[in-house]
Amino acid sequence: MTRVTRGRGIVAALVLSVMTVACSSPAEPPPKKVPLEKNVITVGVVPSADSAPLYLAMAKGYFEREGLTVKATMITGGAAAIPQLKSAALDLTQADYVTALLVQQHDEDVKVIADLYQAAPGAFGLMVEADSRIGTVAGLKGKSIAVNNLFGIGMLASEATLKGAGLTKKDVKFIEVPFPEMERRLAAGVVDAAWLPEPWGTSGLRSGSLRRLADPMTGNLADLPVGGWVAAGEWRAANPATLAAFQRGIAAGQRAAGDRAEVEAVLPTYLKIDADSAAQTRLGVYPPVMATGKVMDARRLQRVADLMRDYGYLKDPLDVKNVVAG
C-alpha cells in the first residue's frame, strides 16, 4: 500500500469516526418556551378599523403559537376601560394616546406596551346628517358633537378643527356616544355632529345618511399617532412572559395589517359591515414593530403630549419616555 493510499484511509477512518459519534450522540433539545403566567387573557377593544391587527392576530393563530388565548371584549374607549385594568376586569386594553397620556397626571402606573394605529387622510371624519343645515365647521357654534369618550383623541381632534374655524370647546357641547350608536343619534337629532373613525364614516357616506363636514386629522394633526395597547404596572410585574407573548403576537398582527386586503377581509368579522363597505373603508396606518424591538418611537408620541399641552389637557410638560413600557 502506498503512502498516499494509507493517508486517504486514515482520513476516511477519521471522518467515519466523527460521523459515528455524531449519529450516536443524543440530539440537542429545542429551546424551552418560558411558561406563561396566564394562558388566557381578556383585552378591551374599540369597535373600529383601528383594532384590525388584534383580530388578524387571533384569526391567523399568532397568539396561539405563543401559547396564548386572547378574548376580546368591546369597550367605548380607553377612558372607560382603564378603570377595568385597575380592577383586573381586563388584562390589557386598547386606548387612544390622549387618554393614555392624560391618565399619567394621576396614575403613572398605566403604560403603553404596544403601538397600534396612526391617522391618515380620510381615516376619521367630523360628520353631520346628510340633510343638516350645518354647512361649515363655523356652523357648529352652539351645537353638540358626539365623541366616544370625553377628553380623548376625538375631543382633541375636534377642538383642533374648531380652532381653524375660530371656535373653542366653549362654543360647543361634547357628548359621549359609542361609535356604533353615533349615526342613530345623529338621525334622532340627539347630537348635531359626530367624530367618527372608520368604517363608520364610510358606511354612513355610502348609505347617504351622513356628510363629511371636515377631516379633523389634517394640518398639525396629520399622521398623528392615535392609539395603542396599555397595561397596569401590577399586571405587567406579575405577567412578564404573558406580556411578551402578547407583544410578539400583536407585532405579527401589525405586520399582517400592512396588507390592505387582509384588513378588508377581517373587518366584517367583528364589525357589522359588508364586504363592499370594508373595501371602501379609508384606513389609517398600522405601524410595524420597530427593528430595535422597542414598543414605539417616543418622539412620535411626544407630538400628542405637546398638542395636549397646547389645548390645556396637560398642565405641565410630559416626557413620554416615562409612559412607554419596555
Side-chain angles (χ1 to χ4, degrees):
M1 182 181 297
T2 67
R3 184 176 300 176
V4 173
T5 304
R6 285 199 303 270
R8 288 176 178 172
I10 293 171
V11 171
L14 288 171
V15 171
L16 180 60
S17 175
V18 170
M19 291 178 63
T20 302
V21 172
C23 293
S24 61
S25 61
E28 185 177 336
K32 293 182 179 180
K33 287 188 175 181
V34 177
L36 304 186
E37 299 84 8
K38 296 187 71 171
N39 295 99
V40 180
I41 61 172
T42 303
V43 302
V45 184
V46 177
S48 68
D50 306 29
S51 50
L54 179 84
Y55 288 93
L56 282 171
M58 291 193 293
K60 291 180 173 295
Y62 297 148
F63 293 125
E64 184 179 0
R65 76 184 182 191
E66 298 291 342
L68 185 63
T69 297
V70 173
K71 294 184 176 180
T73 182
M74 291 294 182
I75 58 172
T76 60
I82 286 176
Q84 296 182 62
L85 290 180
K86 306 299 290 184
S87 68
L90 293 174
D91 295 293
L92 305 169
T93 190
Q94 178 184 348
D96 69 90
Y97 283 135
V98 172
T99 297
L101 298 183
L102 190 61
V103 77
Q104 301 300 309
Q105 292 188 133
H106 56 82
D107 185 357
E108 297 181 355
D109 187 49
V110 175
K111 305 293 185 186
V112 177
I113 55 94
D115 201 2
L116 180 60
Y117 202 56
Q118 177 178 306
F124 297 86
L126 193 57
M127 315 294 285
V128 295
E129 274 283 282
D131 59 357
S132 172
R133 294 183 179 181
I134 301 172
T136 64
V137 174
L140 288 171
K141 186 173 184 178
K143 306 297 184 181
S144 59
I145 301 175
V147 292
N148 62 316
N149 281 167
L150 295 178
F151 299 103
I153 186 69
M155 187 166 165
L156 177 65
S158 297
E159 283 192 57
T161 305
L162 292 170
K163 184 178 180 180
L167 303 178
T168 71
K169 62 183 175 185
K170 295 180 180 180
D171 294 310
V172 300
K173 181 180 181 180
F174 286 102
I175 299 175
E176 284 192 340
V177 179
F179 289 136
E181 290 290 313
M182 286 188 180
E183 187 174 344
R184 186 175 66 82
R185 299 287 181 91
L186 282 168
V190 177
V191 293
D192 301 297
W195 183 81
L196 272 171
E198 290 291 81
W200 307 113
T202 288
S203 179
L205 291 172
R206 292 185 73 243
S207 69
S209 63
L210 298 182
R211 172 166 49 87
R212 188 187 301 273
L213 192 65
D215 184 342
M217 310 307 275
T218 57
N220 62 345
L221 269 67
D223 304 320
L224 191 73
V226 172
W229 298 98
V230 301
E234 185 176 349
W235 190 92
R236 298 194 313 273
N239 301 280
T242 302
L243 173 58
F246 177 84
Q247 289 173 317
R248 290 191 296 269
I250 198 64
Q254 292 287 118
R255 290 191 292 271
D259 183 344
R260 181 185 170 90
E262 295 280 13
V263 178
E264 288 182 15
V266 81
L267 286 178
T269 67
Y270 69 97
L271 300 173
K272 295 180 179 179
I273 62 170
D274 57 29
D276 287 340
S277 292
Q280 297 297 318
T281 295
R282 300 177 70 174
L283 298 175
V285 176
Y286 303 98
V289 65
M290 295 178 64
T292 59
K294 291 183 179 179
V295 171
M296 72 176 299
D297 184 350
R299 291 172 299 180
R300 292 175 52 244
L301 190 54
Q302 191 65 51
R303 281 186 61 201
V304 183
D306 294 343
L307 280 167
M308 291 172 67
R309 181 87 190 284
D310 292 343
Y311 285 89
Y313 284 57
L314 295 173
K315 296 179 180 178
D316 302 307
L318 175 65
D319 185 350
V320 300
K321 292 178 182 177
N322 301 321
V323 182
V324 180

